[in-house]
Amino acid sequence: MTYKLLYCVWYLLSLLPWWVHYLLSDAIYLILYRLIGYRVKVVRSNLQSSFPEKSDKELRQIERRFYHSLCDYFVEMVKMMTMSGEEMRRRMVFKGTDTVAECVADGQSCAVYLGHLFNWEWITSLPFWVPKEAQCGQLYHALENPLFDRLLLSLRQRWGAECIALVDILRKTVEFKRKGVPTVIGYIGDQVPHWNNIHHWCWFLNHDTPVMTGAERIAVKNNQALFYMDVSRVKRGYYEAEFKLISRNPKELKEFESVDIYFQMLEQTIRRQPELWLWSHNRWKRTREEFNERFEVVNGKVVPREGAE
């Protein structure tokens, strides 16, 4: 009953016209940023350390634009529930899909590096833009609140893309491969990896950054084409996402080479429109110094150092 009530409220809100949604977004901005100051210290610290060459005035401008983008993200996610397919295709445009179609035609699956760039929820409309023979999907991390988790699952899978839990990704990719179904799966790889999953560091936005490497390992194991998705906002409520090929033969790349390329390309995207990235995420809370003090790599696995706390 609680879920049905939540669904009904969300549904009714989504029926409101766009101008009302963006009016609500502006109101949320005033509350979230001006009144509450939601994670302002984290955002400000991330911006200052990522762009030391920018003035305080420039950084505050990016900061304000980020919070506007964040609030737009909220209302655009609500509106997503009742958007028609035609409207979604008009507002979320994908480019470079011809290369993806070539891969699918050859029976090759695709792994797509993504970042937390607004509006990543609308990326789930990708099935409108790729051949029907391909199964689209995205890695999914369950929310702590089971009601919102269930609701967001229904939203993210509305257009036919499948949400795949991290623990199931290897099994699912093998399953699709055995059935002869090419896949196009997105991996949001700009999160903070757990200590035992840190196998590589790269220089990203002026920081020595631990990065996730699972997408590369899966692509190499299954000979999947590797892409980066370059997202930009054309104007409020309108986005473009362009597939940029990294390699159709990932086995020919050096270990972690595609990961380094991905973060280089992601940084270029962020520097072009910095307000679109999720700056409220504490991305650099793990340091190489602490990692070296507490852990070591034994036979390819990260294990605690003897005597380390």
Side-chain angles (χ1 to χ4, degrees):
M1 290 298 296
T2 306
Y3 173 75
K4 289 181 178 179
L5 178 61
L6 175 64
Y7 188 95
C8 288
V9 171
W10 194 297
Y11 181 87
L12 292 174
L13 286 173
S14 72
L15 293 174
L16 296 171
W18 278 106
W19 68 269
V20 175
H21 276 278
Y22 285 127
L23 192 64
L24 288 171
S25 175
D26 292 340
I28 296 171
Y29 165 82
L30 293 174
I31 297 171
L32 200 69
Y33 178 51
R34 298 295 185 181
L35 185 61
I36 299 176
Y38 170 74
R39 298 185 73 85
V40 166
K41 289 183 179 180
V42 174
V43 172
R44 196 160 291 173
S45 174
N46 283 340
L47 288 172
Q48 288 173 344
S49 58
S50 297
F51 305 119
E53 75 282 1
K54 293 187 182 296
S55 66
D56 288 342
K57 182 179 180 180
E58 290 174 309
L59 292 173
R60 292 297 179 273
Q61 186 179 51
I62 295 172
E63 182 178 293
R64 290 190 295 270
R65 288 177 177 175
F66 160 71
Y67 278 98
H68 275 298
S69 298
L70 178 66
C71 296
D72 281 356
Y73 162 80
F74 293 145
V75 299
E76 287 168 358
M77 184 167 57
V78 172
K79 188 66 176 174
M80 186 176 165
M81 179 175 279
T82 55
M83 287 174 65
S84 67
E86 181 181 356
E87 183 177 20
M88 178 59 82
R89 286 193 296 271
R90 184 165 50 85
R91 289 178 172 271
M92 184 74 236
V93 176
F94 290 86
K95 296 183 175 182
T97 54
D98 52 340
T99 309
V100 176
E102 290 175 8
C103 295
V104 172
D106 293 339
Q108 185 179 27
S109 293
C110 304
V112 186
Y113 286 120
L114 303 168
H116 277 96
L117 295 158
F118 302 118
N119 187 333
W120 66 83
E121 299 292 349
W122 287 9
I123 300 292
T124 58
S125 65
L126 181 58
F128 287 129
W129 297 83
V130 300
K132 294 181 180 180
E133 295 81 9
Q135 173 63 54
C136 295
Q138 56 274 333
L139 250 63
Y140 177 72
H141 297 272
L143 302 178
E144 293 183 4
N145 186 305
L147 296 178
F148 278 99
D149 182 64
R150 182 179 172 188
L151 182 59
L152 288 183
L153 267 176
S154 68
L155 286 178
R156 289 168 175 170
Q157 298 185 135
R158 183 183 174 206
W159 313 112
E162 182 177 347
C163 287
I164 305 171
L166 182 61
V167 295
D168 295 329
I169 185 60
L170 283 174
R171 179 180 62 82
K172 293 294 291 186
T173 52
V174 171
E175 182 180 311
F176 283 121
K177 188 176 181 179
R178 286 175 178 172
K179 292 179 179 178
V181 178
T183 58
V184 182
I185 297 178
Y187 298 83
I188 296 186
D190 56 353
Q191 298 142 309
V192 181
H194 294 296
W195 287 112
N196 61 345
N197 287 327
I198 297 177
H199 300 281
H200 184 57
W201 300 72
C202 69
W203 194 251
F204 172 60
L205 288 172
N206 204 43
H207 295 84
D208 191 18
T209 307
V211 294
M212 303 182 77
T213 57
E216 180 183 272
R217 292 198 300 272
I218 293 170
V220 170
K221 182 179 178 62
N222 295 287
N223 194 34
Q224 298 174 348
L226 275 166
F227 289 86
Y228 168 67
M229 186 170 285
D230 187 9
V231 178
S232 59
R233 183 168 59 191
V234 181
K235 60 181 179 178
R236 199 175 200 183
Y238 291 83
Y239 301 85
E240 288 183 353
E242 182 178 1
F243 283 92
K244 293 189 174 181
L245 180 65
I246 295 175
S247 177
R248 285 199 61 174
N249 300 293
K251 293 181 180 180
E252 295 180 354
L253 300 177
K254 297 178 182 178
E255 187 178 24
F256 307 132
E257 184 177 354
S258 73
V259 179
D260 290 336
I261 293 172
Y262 157 51
F263 275 95
Q264 290 168 11
M265 298 175 82
L266 177 60
E267 179 165 339
Q268 291 174 5
T269 300
I270 293 170
R271 288 186 178 279
R272 185 182 66 228
Q273 286 186 298
E275 67 271 15
L276 296 188
W277 199 52
L278 191 63
W279 293 101
S280 55
H281 180 48
N282 192 0
R283 182 64 182 85
W284 295 285
K285 61 185 178 182
R286 308 203 199 286
T287 65
R288 192 190 292 255
E289 290 74 20
E290 184 179 359
F291 177 83
N292 291 336
E293 288 177 4
R294 297 177 54 191
F295 301 92
E296 62 181 336
V297 179
V298 179
N299 297 325
K301 293 184 179 181
V302 177
V303 296
R305 286 188 181 275
E306 187 175 350
E309 295 182 359

